[in-house]
Amino acid sequence: MTDGELVRRARNGERQAYDQLILRHQPVALSLAIRIVGDRERGLELTQEAVLHAYLSLDRLRKPDSFRAWLCAIVVNLCKNYLRRPRVETLSLELLSGGRSFDSLPFPDSAPQPHQAAEARETHQLILAAIAQLSPPNRDAVLLYYFEQLSVRETAALLQISVPAVKGRLHKSRRKLRAQLRPAFAEWQPRPAVSQQTRSNQMIPVTVLDIVVPDPEKEPRILVLTEESRRRLLAIWIGPFEADDIALNLLGKKLHRPITFSFMASLLDKAGVLIESVSVSALEKDTFYATVHARRGEESFTIDARPSDAIALALRTQSPIFAAAEVMEAVAFDVPADMEVAQGKGLSDVLRIDPAEKERRIKEMEKWESMSPEERSEESRKKLLAHLTEAGTLSQYGESENG
C-alpha cells in the first residue's frame, strides 16, 4: 500500500494506517535527528515529537505521497529549534517563585535521575495531549507559535489569516489549556496574600552561615542559615544572582559600581525607609516565604518577599534576620555532635570561575585589545545586528510581508 493511500485512510480515522506509516518511516527520521543533534536520547524525543506533530497536522499535508519527506522536514525544524535554544542553565519556576526547602529538590548529580526524565516526559505528553483536544484551527496556531517557535506574523502567513486572528486563537487556546491542565499542576495555583497567610509570632534569630554550590555546572545554590547556638542549620535552595550578592557581602568584597541590592539599600535610605528586620516566615508546599518588616517615620509595614531577596537586602542594610519557630522545627537539621561550625568555609567557591572559561575570557580579551577602535565598533555592531536578526527583531525589507 502506498504512502498516499495510508495517509488518506489515517485522515479518515484509521489509526492502524498511521501506525503503519510510522513503522515505515520512523527509522529514517530517527537517524536524521540523531545526526543533527548528536545524541540518541534527544534525537528519539525529537522524533517522537515530530510523529505527534505530523499526526495532529495530517490534514495540512498537500501531497499525501510525500509523507516521508514531510515527516523528515518536521524533524529537521524541531532539531534546528532545539539547537538554537540557549545552552545556558536556566532557573526553574520553583526557584523563581521563592526559596525551596532542602528536601524538596534533589542534590544535583552530573546526570538527571531516571525519575526526573520520566516526569519530564510525562509532563510533555500531558501537555501535548491537551493541545490535541483543541479545535483544529486553534491547535494549528498553538503548534506553530509555541512548538515551531514561529512569530505571530509567520504563523498568520502560514495559516493565511490575519495577525489579530492568530492572537485571538492563541488567547482562547491558553485559556482552555489553563483550565484543562490546572488540576495536574495544582502547586502553581495562586497562593494567599501575605495578610491571609498564617505567620508565626515566635521568631528565632539566625545568621547566614554559608553559600553552597552543589554542582558548578548548574545554577541553583544553597543558602545555609544557622541559629545562635550554631547547632541547627536551615538550608534553602536559591538562585545564583542572589547567592553571589550574599557571598560578596559576607566576604567583604566591594565593587566599583553598586549592584542590585546595594542600589536598593541606598534607594530605601534616601527615601527614609528603615528595614527593621527580615524573616523566613512560612513554609508552604516545600516553598519558603519571607517577610520584610520596614518603617517610614511613624508608619510600620510588611512586604512579602523571596527569602533570597530579603536576606540579601538585610545584609546590605545590616538588619537582623529571623526564622519562624515552626519553620525551624519543621525543616532545620542538627549539626552532628562530633562536628562544629566554621563560618565562611566554601564562600570563595561561589565566585570561582572555571579554568576553561577563564582561559576563554582571556583569549577573547586579548583579541579585543588587538583591534583598532574602528574594528571594535564594527565587530560589536555586527554581533548586535546578528542577535537582533536571529531573535526576529530585525528582518530584511519585504521578508515579513512574504512570510
Side-chain angles (χ1 to χ4, degrees):
M1 188 176 296
T2 67
D3 285 353
E5 292 172 338
L6 290 173
V7 168
R8 283 186 282 272
R9 290 193 175 190
R11 285 173 172 174
N12 292 329
E14 293 186 26
R15 182 60 184 269
Q16 291 181 347
Y18 188 76
D19 291 343
Q20 190 172 343
L21 277 170
I22 298 308
L23 287 173
R24 183 179 295 179
H25 301 300
Q26 188 173 20
V28 175
L30 175 59
S31 176
L32 178 62
I34 294 173
R35 288 203 305 270
I36 295 175
V37 301
D39 180 82
R40 178 174 179 80
E41 290 300 318
R42 182 62 64 183
L44 182 59
E45 291 179 6
L46 291 169
T47 302
Q48 291 174 343
E49 188 173 338
V51 167
L52 180 59
H53 280 212
Y55 179 71
L56 296 175
S57 306
L58 202 57
D59 291 337
R60 291 163 43 199
L61 177 58
R62 295 180 180 179
K63 298 179 179 180
D65 290 321
S66 303
F67 178 84
R68 175 176 172 174
W70 183 59
L71 177 63
C72 289
I74 295 175
V75 169
V76 170
N77 286 333
L78 289 175
C79 291
K80 286 182 178 179
N81 289 336
Y82 167 75
L83 293 174
R84 281 200 295 264
R85 296 170 192 164
R87 298 272 73 86
V88 298
E89 188 75 19
T90 57
L91 288 178
S92 65
L93 288 175
E94 290 96 336
L95 290 174
L96 289 174
S97 64
R100 298 287 291 187
S101 68
F102 184 68
D103 295 331
S104 68
L105 297 177
F107 211 84
D109 292 322
S110 57
Q113 296 296 313
H115 73 276
Q116 293 175 314
E119 289 176 358
R121 284 194 295 270
E122 182 180 351
T123 301
H124 183 69
Q125 294 300 325
L126 184 66
I127 294 173
L128 288 178
I131 292 173
Q133 296 182 33
L134 296 172
S135 66
N138 290 345
R139 184 177 63 215
D140 290 344
V142 168
L143 290 175
L144 288 172
Y145 183 76
Y146 289 106
F147 282 79
E148 300 292 349
Q149 298 184 2
L150 300 180
S151 68
V152 173
R153 287 185 175 275
E154 291 168 337
T155 302
L158 284 176
L159 297 179
Q160 297 182 344
I161 58 177
S162 66
V163 168
V166 171
K167 292 181 178 179
R169 290 184 185 183
L170 293 175
H171 175 73
K172 292 178 181 177
S173 299
R174 285 193 298 266
R175 186 171 56 190
K176 185 172 182 179
L177 290 172
R178 188 181 300 115
Q180 186 172 343
L181 294 171
R182 182 176 287 119
F185 298 95
E187 65 270 22
W188 298 119
Q189 299 309 306
R191 63 186 183 85
V194 178
S195 59
Q196 298 174 331
Q197 296 176 13
T198 301
R199 301 301 193 190
S200 173
N201 292 324
Q202 184 180 358
M203 292 291 173
I204 298 174
V206 294
T207 57
V208 178
L209 177 65
D210 206 348
I211 297 289
V212 178
V213 185
D215 187 345
E217 296 183 358
K218 297 183 181 297
E219 297 281 12
R221 297 168 185 178
I222 303 173
L223 167 66
V224 183
L225 304 174
T226 184
E227 59 184 355
E228 188 176 358
S229 67
R230 301 168 74 84
R231 300 308 302 171
R232 285 201 300 176
L233 305 178
L234 178 61
I236 305 175
W237 289 95
I238 64 174
F241 308 110
E242 300 85 358
D244 286 350
D245 191 274
I246 291 171
L248 283 169
N249 193 293
L250 293 177
L251 292 170
K253 294 183 179 293
K254 294 184 178 180
L255 302 180
H256 295 295
R257 301 293 296 160
I259 54 180
T260 302
F261 291 101
S262 58
F263 168 71
M264 289 173 59
S266 299
L267 189 64
L268 291 172
D269 180 62
K270 294 298 182 182
V273 177
L274 172 66
I275 304 299
E276 296 184 319
S277 67
V278 305
S279 59
V280 181
S281 49
L283 175 63
E284 300 174 8
K285 295 182 180 179
D286 292 328
T287 299
F288 288 101
Y289 299 103
T291 305
V292 177
H293 301 266
R295 175 181 296 276
R296 182 175 55 199
E298 298 298 321
E299 177 189 7
S300 296
F301 54 93
T302 60
I303 302 173
D304 193 18
R306 302 185 305 175
S308 53
D309 293 333
I311 291 172
L313 183 60
L315 293 176
R316 291 291 175 182
T317 58
Q318 299 182 347
S319 305
I321 306 170
F322 297 89
E326 67 265 24
V327 171
M328 295 294 290
E329 290 297 327
V331 292
F333 54 93
D334 296 331
V335 176
D338 60 342
M339 301 182 71
E340 64 179 4
V341 169
Q343 184 170 358
K345 297 298 182 181
L347 280 174
S348 58
D349 291 340
V350 174
L351 307 175
R352 182 185 62 212
I353 298 178
D354 180 75
E357 173 65 13
K358 185 176 182 180
E359 181 68 19
R360 186 191 67 79
R361 294 186 187 184
I362 291 175
K363 290 182 178 179
E364 196 173 78
M365 183 56 66
E366 289 176 350
K367 178 183 177 182
W368 181 259
E369 290 177 346
S370 67
M371 294 180 178
S372 67
E374 293 78 12
E375 290 173 330
R376 292 180 185 178
S377 177
E378 180 65 16
E379 180 75 8
S380 297
R381 186 187 68 84
K382 287 181 179 179
K383 288 183 178 180
L384 176 60
L385 291 176
H387 278 287
L388 292 174
T389 302
E390 184 177 352
T393 305
L394 296 178
S395 62
Q396 296 292 331
Y397 277 115
E399 184 176 299
S400 58
E401 288 80 358
N402 296 330

